[in-house]
Amino acid sequence: MPHDSLTTDELRQSMVEQLMRIMGLPDDESVAREADGILLALDDRLRQDTTAA
């Protein structure tokens, strides 16, 4: 699912879920890449929200 179609709250929830997956699979590079993508999307979204406020 493209990250830009998610709401800010959905991105936050996805990040929490990815962090939990990382704890369970610390050596899985695909899990780490997905978490990185979510983190970057969330960071960008929060930056946009701050700028718009």
Side-chain angles (χ1 to χ4, degrees), residues 8-25:
T8 302
D9 286 338
E10 289 170 331
L11 282 170
R12 286 180 178 136
Q13 182 61 37
S14 293
M15 191 70 246
V16 169
E17 291 169 4
Q18 281 302 116
L19 290 172
M20 292 172 66
R21 288 185 69 206
I22 288 171
M23 287 188 285
L25 301 166

Side-chain angles (χ1 to χ4, degrees), residues 10-50:
E10 289 170 331
L11 282 170
R12 286 180 178 136
Q13 182 61 37
S14 293
M15 191 70 246
V16 169
E17 291 169 4
Q18 281 302 116
L19 290 172
M20 292 172 66
R21 288 185 69 206
I22 288 171
M23 287 188 285
L25 301 166
D27 297 326
D28 190 319
E29 291 182 21
S30 64
V31 172
R33 275 191 292 277
E34 180 65 19
D36 186 53
I38 293 171
L39 179 62
L40 292 173
L42 180 59
D43 184 50
D44 186 49
R45 177 71 54 80
L46 292 173
R47 190 176 300 114
Q48 290 173 12
D49 290 351
T50 302

